[in-house]
Amino acid sequence: MTAGGTGQPSAGPGEKGAARTALAGLTTRGRSFLAAGVAAAVCAYVLGQPDLLRVGMLLAVLPLICAAVVYRTRYRVAGSRRLAPARVPAGSEARVHLRMDNVSRLPTGLLMLQDRVPYVLGPRPRFVLDRVEAGGRREVSYRVRSDLRGRYPLGPLQLRLSDPFGMCELTRSFSTFDTLTVIPRVEPLPPIRLTGEAKGYGDGRQRSLALAGEDDVIPRGYRYGDDLRRVHWRSTARYGELMVRREEQPQRARCTVLLDTRGLAYEGAGPDSSFEWAVSAAASVLVHMLERGFSVRLLTDTGTSVPGEGVEGFAGAGDGSADAAGLMMDTLAVVDHSDGSGLSHAYDVLRRGNEGLLVAILGDIDEEQAAVAAKMRRRSGGAVAFLLDGDAWGRESRREPGGAPGRDPGGAPGGAPGHVPGREPNGTPDPMNKHPMNKQEERLRMLREAGWTALSVPRGVSLGELWRQADRERAGVVTAGGIRGGEAGS
């Protein structure tokens, strides 16, 4: 990512504007010299001392001459900026490389270089460049880091010119800037067998047989190694080249990742807030499913999807999977709270067709929104929901003396991640439970009864642990229903 431009001082609006600009660049030393010169000249006039008048004139004229020289300086320099990398996860560092080229035939004087950066990326970098010979170059670099997602502009690059006496400093700016994208943290997830995943044709593919009728055959050009028994002679005669029947068409299994962005569903702010965990979880699932070969789509509660409506999704396990992941990461880098109050817009998008596997990261939902989410299960081949526990995220995690973990937000001491007290791991009620279910447990019950593999997300738990727990609970539910549960993939 490189941007460059030639920095040349632009002509002022007029003589008055030029004089005002030059005088505005006087430093504290220059202003002090000018004031001392004027004072000495006034005293010399009052006292009748011509020698003092000469000294005063020298002190007053020196900063003015320096200002005029600096203002009239015309350095022809080119500046460029390169980010490595241009897309960086939150909490990681990126290095910015700056390069200055003297494209004129004359050497430059002392140059002070500074780059404008947002305060969240760190202090503004400043560099002092020695005399740059004609046709020479200077390269410097600095590091930036942010714990917050976003797109941050870098630049424009500023060049500060100064005279040898330090009387005047003027700033010249380049017109170009670059953008650093800070994406969510991505957590590697273990490969597991998920409900709704196609079997027998790779991790994320399934087969769709063409109809057997002669008119339904879709021919393609012959390739070396094709079985000659598949040659379609009618199409061969029509196109003048050897054509074969395309009897099978590979189709990718699809996955939709639903991210709840409602502002009322989350509490707190900052890199450790519940919303940032949800965004990071969505990014991790998207990248993981792309690596598994799924056709992936990101959907928010507002009904906005990436890629746009009418497109099945980004295909993974190919040459374009990195670009697809990058586009989705760019979207998640700037996603923010929505003003919506429900999930109905997302449901309207999902009910238009079978979306394959559905993975939902939900904030705090009420009974009405839980019912809407339950209906989403009907339009998917498999559904996994991670429901953030608002009560647990709204307070600091409890710690027992000695650093041992305290009670699980649901009430079970040392319980497994996502375990709901009062229920067995497969979601069935525990007959020995004597405590009534709280609001979080009730929402999980509604989702599980609708066919979701639903897990509660307490504060401090990793997505990898929940991902394994989802596989165990799904396998337990399937086994309880009389069907053999899937085993974890390798």
Side-chain angles (χ1 to χ4, degrees):
M1 188 173 183
T2 303
T6 301
Q8 292 185 355
S10 58
E15 293 299 331
K16 294 183 178 180
R20 188 181 300 110
T21 302
L23 293 177
L26 289 176
T27 62
T28 302
R29 180 184 299 176
R31 296 175 188 272
S32 300
F33 267 65
L34 181 60
V38 172
V42 172
C43 292
Y45 177 78
V46 173
L47 300 176
Q49 298 289 333
D51 294 335
L52 182 59
L53 179 62
R54 295 187 186 96
V55 174
M57 292 293 293
L58 176 63
L59 294 177
V61 171
L62 181 59
L64 297 179
I65 294 177
C66 291
V69 171
V70 172
Y71 182 79
R72 299 299 298 175
T73 299
R74 293 293 187 268
Y75 291 142
R76 294 186 59 202
V77 294
S80 63
R81 183 190 300 104
R82 179 172 56 87
L83 306 181
R87 185 186 292 117
V88 61
S92 301
E93 290 184 344
R95 182 167 288 276
V96 183
H97 299 268
L98 303 178
R99 173 176 165 178
M100 298 297 299
D101 294 274
N102 183 10
V103 297
S104 65
R105 297 181 179 180
L106 299 176
T108 68
L110 189 67
L111 301 178
M112 287 180 287
L113 188 66
Q114 68 177 7
D115 207 4
R116 296 173 63 95
V117 300
Y119 71 94
V120 296
L121 298 181
R124 179 174 296 183
R126 292 181 174 89
F127 305 94
V128 177
L129 303 181
D130 295 332
R131 178 177 177 272
V132 183
E133 63 279 5
R137 69 179 62 169
R138 296 290 185 272
E139 295 184 3
V140 293
S141 64
Y142 64 93
R143 293 179 296 179
V144 292
R145 180 182 182 273
S146 176
D147 292 327
L148 300 176
R149 298 175 295 107
R151 293 173 62 86
Y152 300 101
L154 300 179
L157 196 62
Q158 293 180 334
L159 196 63
R160 303 185 67 181
L161 307 178
S162 177
D163 65 282
F165 301 102
M167 297 289 181
C168 182
E169 288 184 359
L170 293 180
T171 301
R172 297 289 184 260
S173 297
F174 294 87
S175 59
T176 56
F177 64 92
D178 293 297
T179 302
L180 175 67
T181 304
V182 181
I183 62 176
R185 297 184 181 92
V186 175
E187 180 179 351
L189 301 180
I192 62 175
R193 180 74 66 181
L194 296 170
T195 303
E197 181 178 355
K199 299 176 177 60
Y201 196 63
D203 277 340
R205 301 170 184 261
Q206 59 187 7
R207 290 185 177 183
S208 151
L209 296 180
L211 297 178
E214 188 71 19
D215 295 335
D216 296 317
V217 173
I218 303 177
R220 62 168 175 81
Y222 174 82
R223 298 172 186 170
Y224 179 77
D226 286 338
D227 191 348
L228 293 179
R229 291 175 297 181
R230 295 174 54 191
V231 174
H232 191 247
W233 298 109
R234 181 178 297 179
S235 298
T236 299
R238 177 184 301 176
Y239 294 105
E241 60 176 325
L242 201 59
M243 307 291 289
V244 297
R245 293 183 179 89
R246 183 181 297 173
E247 297 177 351
E248 293 179 348
Q249 298 178 8
Q251 292 185 351
R252 296 182 182 274
R254 292 181 292 176
C255 174
T256 297
V257 178
L258 171 62
L259 175 61
D260 183 8
T261 63
R262 297 173 299 133
L264 54 83
Y266 301 93
E267 294 183 3
D272 296 327
S273 64
S274 57
F275 182 67
E276 292 302 319
W277 190 98
V279 175
S280 177
S284 302
V285 174
L286 286 169
V287 172
H288 177 74
M289 301 311 290
L290 278 173
E291 293 174 350
R292 295 287 299 273
F294 279 71
S295 179
V296 178
R297 181 173 67 166
L298 172 65
L299 177 66
T300 65
D301 59 288
T302 61
T304 304
S305 63
V306 179
E309 194 170 348
V311 182
E312 289 188 358
F314 288 120
D319 295 337
S321 60
D323 296 336
L327 180 58
M328 290 189 175
M329 292 300 104
D330 290 344
T331 303
L332 290 175
V334 297
V335 70
D336 202 355
H337 291 295
S338 68
D339 298 330
S341 58
L343 304 174
S344 57
H345 294 293
Y347 172 69
D348 292 338
V349 176
L350 291 173
R351 70 178 180 178
R352 295 170 188 167
N354 186 352
E355 296 300 327
L357 178 65
L358 175 61
V359 180
I361 294 93
L362 305 175
D364 193 12
I365 59 176
D366 55 21
E367 186 175 354
E368 180 182 357
Q369 302 313 316
V372 175
K375 292 190 295 184
M376 296 179 183
R377 175 64 180 86
R378 307 172 188 171
R379 310 303 303 176
S380 61
V384 180
F386 300 102
L387 184 60
L388 276 75
D389 191 341
D391 294 336
W393 284 89
R395 62 177 182 269
E396 291 293 330
S397 300
R398 297 179 179 177
R399 305 288 296 181
E400 293 181 354
R407 286 183 172 269
D408 186 270
H419 175 66
V420 179
R423 304 187 71 83
E424 298 292 344
N426 60 5
T428 59
D430 183 359
M432 302 302 294
N433 178 47
K434 304 298 182 182
H435 304 284
M437 289 188 297
N438 57 25
K439 182 182 69 172
Q440 180 80 354
E441 297 170 8
E442 179 63 23
R443 306 296 181 260
L444 292 171
R445 182 192 63 81
M446 294 178 62
L447 294 177
R448 284 168 173 158
E449 289 181 351
W452 285 81
T453 300
L455 297 176
S456 178
V457 181
R459 186 183 182 90
V461 69
S462 69
L463 181 62
E465 297 176 6
L466 292 173
W467 197 249
R468 294 187 183 91
Q469 181 70 12
D471 180 53
R472 290 193 294 267
E473 291 205 6
R474 182 198 60 81
V477 171
V478 173
T479 303
I483 304 176
R484 182 179 181 273
E487 298 178 355
S490 57

